[in-house]
Amino acid sequence: MTSSATQDATLPDAQGLVRRPFRSSLYSGNARAVFDRGMRSQWTGNLWVMVSGFVEPVLFLLAMGLGLGALIGTITDDAGRLVEYPVYIAPALLATSAMNGAVYDSTWNVFFKLKISKIYGGMLNTTIGPMDVALGEIAVALVRGGVYATGFVAVMAVLGLISSWWALLMVPACLLIAFGFAAIGMAATSFLRTFQQMDWLSLVLMPMFLFSATFYPLSVYPHAIQWFIMALPLWHGVELLRALNGGWVDWWTAGHALYFVVLAAVGTWAASVRLKALFLR
Amino acid sequence: MTPVIQARGLRKTYGDFEAVRGIDFDVAPGESFGLLGPNGAGKSTTMRMIGGVSHRSGGELTILGMDPSHEGPRIRAHLGVVPQQDNLDTDLSVIDNLITYGRYFGLPRWFLKQKAELLLEFAELTDKRKSKVDDLSGGMKRRLTIARSLVSDPRILLLDEPTTGLDPQARHVLWDRLFRLKEQGITLVLTTHHMDEAEQLCDRLVVVDHGKIVAEGTPSTLVREHAGREVVELRFGSHRNAALASSLDGVGERIEVLPDRLLVYATDGEAALAAVVARGLEPTSSLVRRCSLEDVFLRLTGRSLVD
């Protein structure tokens, strides 16, 4: 019991330094603090978990692309182009890894902080608003997605699977894809009550991964199923990256990107409103 | 002086359940104000409304002249919050908990580095600075939570059951810390169902029961007005307490029958006890003590506070 006060003559009154929040109950303009906190806990604690997330799609690429690809040779894609099999699936695996990373961060991690460790409850006792939480957490997921994407694109380059300078845009495109999935994932998580319900997510993600023109073109399906898959987000991600990787950029490419811009905007808004409903009752 | 917190007809309902049923109170700057009541009385709900994390269902509430339903973050810039359940960041070390929390207020790092050291000293956690939160004892976690709430030099500190679940020694350490904050002029608003805590810390308090205020005043006036001076606690064994109450007619000013004991309120406790013994009654145990807030609560609600 040495010091009798928390005030100190050499330190100014913190109240004079507090960042003046926006006049809003949803957003205070300080998502940065949530982001910093996420980075600190994610990249100092479980580095091995982070590394394993990068290795998985690379293993898929080696096994399916190079292994299976040696048997398959070339494949005719939905645009009628003849493509080497590894070149065909590599962008699809990249899109899937962007999705998985973002969804993992925005569902399991968010659920844990929401229900178990009550981290968000603590944040919202400060000047932080629900939208600061949503944006900050999404940004953390994006950094992870960006690191994975950069690594995977490098592996693709080493294996000679890249044939266009447009491929450089695959990394920012992955961030956009991850943003969309992270925002929607966070909004969806806010509706879940138990860990068991989290399993429903893999019920959605796994088929989407297998059937979104990842390993073979959509043309094998009947028309109705083709339309259904084309409504789902992962297909747009796969097609976006495939176009960039091959340098076949057109208005469709912009359309796929726009799909994710809308997904991200709607998801961020929905996640913020849901967090507000959960915490500011 | 303008009150820092003002509530008029404040109400909160969850579906059909009315948690807070129209309460009025003012808190003056620098005051230490307590909400006393049993579990489920509506104390925590009231605290959450003051902290801007719960919307009121009706009535008026202003904090520092602002409406918490519309300006939550702006109000919380001036508040320090110690919730009932610790929600420390278990992914971070002790010192990083303080620094990160300060960042939520947008405080600069150079400031937080120095401030965190002062707070660690205040909470007697300097040698635990690098520890993980999960390795701390209950009392240490509580002190860290209080230190954390002080990182922004708040004008108002909201403490929801600050010492519940702690052992007596840890509670006294915390009371000492809170008393120092009070001396610094920080407005304290606390909920508790511990009488001794309310008596130690509160300048003024309201007794809350079933979402309503049943009494208001300083601890000593509440005791004087609603309980009296002294009380004799008599135990005759649980099956005989009620039966023997009638044979005590005329002893003391008032008798309260509880399942485990009889309470005889009297100006002179020793004299009352002597009168009981003179009637040939032999309690298995007896105790004369001064009246406390516990007796006030019993008188006002017919129930004891801690079950």
Side-chain angles (χ1 to χ4, degrees):
Chain A
M1 296 193 195
T2 43
S3 162
S4 68
T6 60
Q7 303 273 346
D8 185 277
T10 60
L11 266 187
D13 182 354
Q15 283 285 301
L17 297 168
V18 167
R19 189 179 185 288
R20 202 163 157 71
F22 296 156
R23 190 182 285 272
S24 154
S25 58
L26 197 61
Y27 183 55
S28 77
N30 192 13
R32 172 72 193 273
V34 180
F35 172 74
D36 286 350
R37 184 255 159 221
M39 291 302 286
R40 188 173 280 259
S41 93
Q42 188 164 71
W43 292 92
T44 53
N46 38 11
L47 210 58
W48 280 111
V49 176
M50 307 303 288
V51 171
S52 72
F54 164 72
V55 171
E56 195 182 281
V58 172
L59 291 179
F60 260 104
L61 181 62
L62 295 177
M64 311 287 280
L66 301 189
L68 204 57
L71 296 176
I72 294 174
T74 56
I75 186 173
T76 309
D77 72 6
D78 281 315
R81 282 177 293 251
L82 209 59
V83 186
E84 298 272 340
Y85 193 64
V87 175
Y88 183 77
I89 68 164
L93 291 171
L94 178 57
T96 307
S97 104
M99 172 181 83
N100 284 339
V103 168
Y104 185 86
D105 265 352
S106 66
T107 57
W108 284 98
N109 285 348
V110 166
F111 187 81
F112 186 77
K113 290 178 203 162
L114 207 54
K115 306 279 179 180
I116 313 295
S117 65
K118 318 246 182 225
I119 301 283
Y120 297 149
M123 288 181 182
L124 292 171
N125 280 332
T126 70
T127 55
I128 294 286
M131 193 183 270
D132 302 87
V133 174
L135 287 174
E137 291 289 62
I138 288 169
V140 173
L142 290 191
V143 170
R144 182 169 174 173
V147 170
Y148 288 177
T150 308
F152 194 84
V153 170
V155 171
M156 283 172 70
V158 168
L159 295 176
L161 304 178
I162 290 176
S163 51
S164 160
W165 283 106
W166 283 102
L168 284 176
L169 285 181
M170 287 201 294
V171 171
C174 278
L175 293 182
L176 183 60
I177 293 168
F179 198 147
F181 277 112
I184 286 292
M186 198 167 177
T189 302
S190 69
F191 287 99
L192 303 182
R193 292 173 186 280
T194 65
F195 266 112
Q196 282 73 29
Q197 292 173 333
M198 301 290 288
D199 288 336
W200 298 350
L201 284 167
S202 33
L203 224 60
V204 177
L205 296 183
M206 194 61 179
M208 198 149 74
F209 162 53
L210 291 174
F211 301 123
S212 293
T214 356
F215 296 110
Y216 46 83
L218 275 189
S219 54
V220 303
Y221 298 122
H223 264 290
I225 294 182
Q226 289 188 20
W227 281 108
F228 175 68
I229 289 172
M230 286 161 70
L232 298 177
L234 185 57
W235 179 78
H236 291 274
V238 169
E239 288 301 305
L240 172 60
L241 295 183
R242 200 165 268 157
L244 291 172
N245 189 45
W248 312 309
V249 175
D250 56 17
W251 285 109
W252 281 106
T253 318
H256 296 315
L258 186 65
Y259 183 102
F260 279 99
V261 170
V262 173
L263 197 66
V266 171
T268 305
W269 177 79
S272 309
V273 169
R274 280 293 301 161
L275 282 180
K276 187 178 175 190
L278 283 178
F279 285 106
L280 310 181
R281 278 179 296 156
Chain B
M1 264 192 292
T2 337
V4 287
I5 302 173
Q6 193 163 43
R8 291 289 176 274
L10 185 61
R11 290 195 309 112
K12 179 69 188 181
T13 52
Y14 296 103
D16 289 341
F17 176 64
E18 283 190 286
V20 177
R21 304 192 292 171
I23 61 174
D24 304 274
F25 61 86
D26 287 345
V27 180
E31 189 178 27
S32 179
F33 178 80
L35 294 147
L36 178 73
N39 291 327
K43 306 182 305 273
S44 294
T45 307
T46 305
M47 288 296 250
R48 289 172 50 79
M49 287 192 280
I50 296 173
V53 290
S54 178
H55 287 298
R56 64 183 182 274
S57 310
E60 293 300 316
L61 181 65
T62 52
I63 317 296
L64 299 163
M66 290 179 278
D67 179 344
S69 288
H70 297 120
E71 300 191 64
R74 285 212 165 181
I75 290 174
R76 292 197 293 273
H78 306 284
L79 299 184
V81 179
V82 179
Q84 193 167 351
Q85 285 176 323
D86 289 323
N87 56 5
L88 293 163
D89 199 327
T90 49
D91 290 344
L92 305 177
S93 66
V94 167
I95 189 160
D96 279 345
N97 258 277
L98 298 173
I99 291 175
T100 303
Y101 203 75
R103 296 290 294 160
Y104 298 152
F105 287 96
L107 294 168
R109 282 190 188 282
W110 63 263
F111 171 81
L112 288 169
K113 276 189 183 136
Q114 298 172 66
K115 185 72 175 178
E117 297 299 336
L118 289 174
L119 290 171
L120 285 177
E121 220 170 282
F122 172 77
E124 294 183 78
L125 289 169
T126 306
D127 53 340
K128 296 279 181 188
R129 59 211 309 282
K130 294 282 181 197
S131 299
K132 283 279 184 185
V133 167
D134 283 333
D135 298 336
L136 301 181
S137 71
M140 288 175 180
K141 281 184 191 168
R142 216 67 196 131
R143 296 205 304 268
L144 180 58
T145 305
I146 291 175
R148 188 182 71 167
S149 73
L150 296 172
V151 74
S152 57
D153 290 330
R155 297 302 183 250
I156 304 172
L157 195 58
L158 305 179
L159 302 135
D160 197 357
E161 304 276 355
T163 67
T164 296
L166 298 184
D167 62 60
Q169 197 202 343
R171 294 177 70 195
H172 279 280
V173 173
L174 265 181
W175 286 342
D176 167 68
R177 300 290 116 155
L178 293 174
F179 198 79
R180 291 179 193 197
L181 296 173
K182 184 165 135 55
E183 286 177 323
Q184 285 176 29
I186 297 179
T187 306
L188 300 183
V189 180
L190 65 126
T191 73
T192 183
H193 61 250
H194 294 295
M195 298 301 144
D196 40 359
E197 188 157 278
E199 275 163 0
Q200 289 258 351
L201 293 175
C202 298
D203 300 326
R204 191 165 61 88
L205 50 92
V206 289
V207 180
V208 189
D209 190 37
H210 293 305
K212 284 188 164 169
I213 292 176
V214 291
E216 179 181 348
T218 65
S220 57
T221 53
L222 281 171
V223 171
R224 202 168 54 236
E225 286 171 14
H226 299 280
R229 220 170 78 85
E230 292 187 337
V231 60
V232 190
E233 294 197 6
L234 300 170
R235 288 168 201 265
F236 293 100
S238 51
H239 55 291
R240 295 177 62 213
N241 286 333
L244 282 172
S246 54
S247 48
L248 290 174
D249 274 347
V251 180
E253 286 134 30
R254 190 163 53 82
I255 295 175
E256 202 78 56
V257 185
L258 298 181
D260 63 329
R261 60 196 195 272
L262 292 174
L263 300 179
V264 180
Y265 291 93
T267 317
D268 183 344
E270 292 294 346
L273 180 58
V276 171
V277 175
R279 291 189 183 194
L281 298 169
E282 289 172 8
T284 51
S285 79
S286 62
L287 167 74
V288 177
R289 60 171 175 79
R290 293 190 68 87
C291 284
S292 74
L293 286 170
E294 173 81 44
D295 303 295
V296 173
F297 192 79
L298 195 64
R299 177 74 196 274
L300 292 171
T301 68
R303 290 175 296 120
S304 66
L305 253 174
V306 188
D307 20 66

